[in-house]
Amino acid sequence: MALPGFPFPSGAADYDDRRRRARLRSTRLGAGWGRWRRARLLALRLTLVPLVALGAFAEYMGLDVLPEQERLARTEPSVLPIAGPSDLQATGTAVFDLVGLGVLDAGDTARALPSLSRLGSVWAVRYDNSGIDTKVISDLIVKVTDAAQVTDVVLAGHSMGGVIALEIAKHLHQDSGGKRVRAVLLDCTPVDLNAVRPESRDQGEEMLRWMGWVPGARESRMLRLVVEVYARHDRFVGGRYAIRGAEFRRAVDDVLRSKILNTDAASNGLIEAQFKAIVAGGAVDDLRALAKPAAGKPRPAIVFIRPHNPYDDPVVDVQYSHQVLIDQVGGVRGTLLVVTTRTTGHANPIERPQEYNTVIEQQVVPFVRQLWRDQSAVASAGH
């Protein structure tokens, strides 16, 4: 028995499904169109693509980028006290610790190096998450040391933090009036872009391209998640299904906890500014400036801490940096000390505190003190 108003004979078993499909065909978009039906449908669908893309972009900006911009706008560089001087000879000196690429606060690193207190009171520099201005940091150091009635400064920079430390030291050495830079400690520091190993250099240059191409890339947490997970791809790529699920989930969880949901993590914009400091290649010029007395101030000691085996550092070609440092501040009348370690990797005092503290205690502190005594003696003889 045919159903009234329904074009196909049907039994009870297939009534609902066939009627539903017929109804969908008769009411779908363009059902009554004759000529150029497919072309007209395609054109209509293509007009929806920009609207969908615009809506997605608005959500991306509103939920991801703008809230982060507002948070970063409230940040500024600061210095945090870590420890007082542990030696009477160090009471007139302040040590400022600076960390490297992708790290915001030097507090944990400075606390892992109690031996720095043999050189003076220890402070940790916390970067401004919106970028780096070394003049602002140097002015802040002057303000803090003035309040503490301290005239001598030691700067310790780990990895890229050494590049920032050299630039700050130049400001203090040439422009800060009565502040004297006693020493600059460089831990696996790349003195220019050629000192960065090719794989890390390529990753940094790719990051700069993304920053230039993608709107909101400096603040986007979503893009940061993608980039940071990809940087850990060696943990989860492989296996039967190309990606090992458990390892992938652990990598995502690690990034979420340490980089995305952690408000103390360095922002994309800060990482960009840190890498640009290396690209700019100003460290060699800073070394040249520090190799000369300025306004009656003696030359600071330059200490380079690196693994004995250069290949133990997978990020920086420490042999290259070593040679540049010899050329700029080494030699017979130079102010350079190179300390080689046996078990450390790339600027990792938190992972290898014992060896770092040992070399600082036994080699760095005596060298800095002896150089200062020699320079003081020469200055006294000149008067």
Side-chain angles (χ1 to χ4, degrees):
M1 173 180 172
L3 298 171
F6 193 74
F8 305 105
S10 175
D14 60 351
Y15 167 70
D16 287 343
D17 186 57
R18 299 187 68 180
R19 182 167 183 172
R20 178 184 60 81
R21 285 185 289 168
R23 182 64 177 167
L24 286 173
R25 283 195 298 269
S26 66
T27 57
R28 66 185 176 183
L29 182 65
W33 295 349
R35 296 184 61 190
W36 304 100
R37 178 178 176 276
R38 289 188 178 179
R40 290 162 69 184
L41 282 173
L42 179 61
L44 181 61
R45 287 167 182 159
L46 289 177
T47 61
L48 296 176
V49 172
L51 294 177
V52 173
L54 184 61
F57 180 73
E59 291 294 314
Y60 160 72
M61 294 295 292
L63 298 178
D64 189 7
V65 176
L66 294 179
E68 190 70 358
Q69 282 182 340
E70 293 175 4
R71 184 181 74 83
L72 296 179
R74 298 189 295 268
T75 62
E76 59 183 13
S78 58
V79 291
L80 312 172
I82 301 299
S86 61
D87 194 309
L88 289 176
Q89 298 182 58
T91 53
T93 304
V95 183
F96 293 87
D97 202 33
L98 301 103
V99 281
L101 192 68
V103 185
L104 181 65
D105 189 341
D108 290 341
T109 303
R111 279 185 281 271
L113 297 173
S115 56
L116 290 177
S117 65
R118 292 287 309 281
L119 294 170
S121 58
V122 181
W123 300 74
V125 175
R126 179 184 173 89
Y127 299 126
D128 183 336
N129 225 336
S130 60
I132 292 177
D133 187 328
T134 55
K135 184 63 169 66
V136 171
I137 297 175
S138 66
D139 290 344
L140 182 59
I141 288 174
V142 170
K143 183 178 178 180
V144 168
T145 51
D146 280 348
Q149 298 182 332
V150 169
T151 56
D152 298 332
V153 173
V154 172
L155 297 164
H158 308 277
S159 186
M160 182 283 314
V163 177
I164 305 301
L166 286 170
E167 193 168 336
I168 294 170
K170 179 182 175 182
H171 288 306
L172 295 173
H173 186 58
Q174 295 184 334
D175 307 322
S176 66
K179 300 302 175 187
R180 297 174 295 190
V181 181
R182 291 192 61 177
V184 182
L185 278 55
L186 307 174
D187 177 14
C188 299
T189 294
V191 291
D192 58 35
L193 193 58
N194 293 323
V196 181
R197 296 198 185 276
E199 182 178 352
S200 299
R201 188 189 316 157
D202 292 344
Q203 290 175 353
E205 291 172 342
E206 188 70 23
M207 175 197 66
L208 292 184
R209 282 192 287 271
W210 275 93
M211 293 295 183
W213 292 344
V214 180
R218 288 172 179 80
E219 297 85 13
S220 173
R221 289 161 293 180
M222 180 178 67
L223 290 178
R224 179 73 177 275
L225 175 64
V226 173
V227 171
E228 293 282 356
V229 170
Y230 177 75
R232 294 160 173 75
H233 69 275
D234 57 313
R235 301 184 189 178
F236 56 80
V237 172
R240 182 177 179 184
Y241 300 105
I243 292 180
R244 296 189 292 272
E247 287 79 0
F248 176 75
R249 287 191 294 273
R250 278 195 288 270
V252 172
D253 181 65
D254 175 39
V255 172
L256 285 172
R257 284 186 293 102
S258 62
K259 304 294 184 181
I260 307 302
L261 302 179
N262 179 11
T263 56
D264 282 337
S267 69
N268 298 358
L270 175 60
I271 295 174
E272 178 194 25
Q274 291 172 329
F275 189 76
K276 281 183 175 179
I278 302 172
V279 173
V284 174
D285 291 335
D286 297 334
L287 285 165
R288 292 195 187 107
L290 296 172
K292 303 172 185 176
K297 303 174 188 177
R299 299 173 298 161
I302 306 295
V303 178
F304 185 49
I305 302 175
R306 50 154 290 189
H308 176 76
N309 181 355
Y311 296 103
D312 286 343
D313 188 330
V315 177
V316 173
D317 183 349
V318 292
Q319 192 66 45
Y320 176 91
S321 285
H322 187 163
Q323 186 58 52
V324 172
L325 288 167
I326 290 175
D327 294 341
Q328 298 300 325
V329 291
V332 176
R333 300 186 61 190
T335 58
L336 176 67
L337 170 69
V338 176
V339 177
T340 57
T341 59
R342 296 290 175 178
T343 67
T344 67
H346 174 68
N348 59 342
I350 293 178
E351 290 77 20
R352 291 288 185 270
Q354 183 174 352
E355 184 163 11
Y356 269 91
N357 283 294
T358 298
V359 298
I360 291 172
E361 181 88 18
Q362 297 180 359
Q363 298 182 57
V364 176
V365 172
F367 174 78
V368 171
R369 288 179 177 174
Q370 184 60 50
L371 181 64
W372 193 255
R373 284 194 293 268
D374 293 346
Q375 291 174 336
S376 298
V378 169
S380 298
H383 290 299

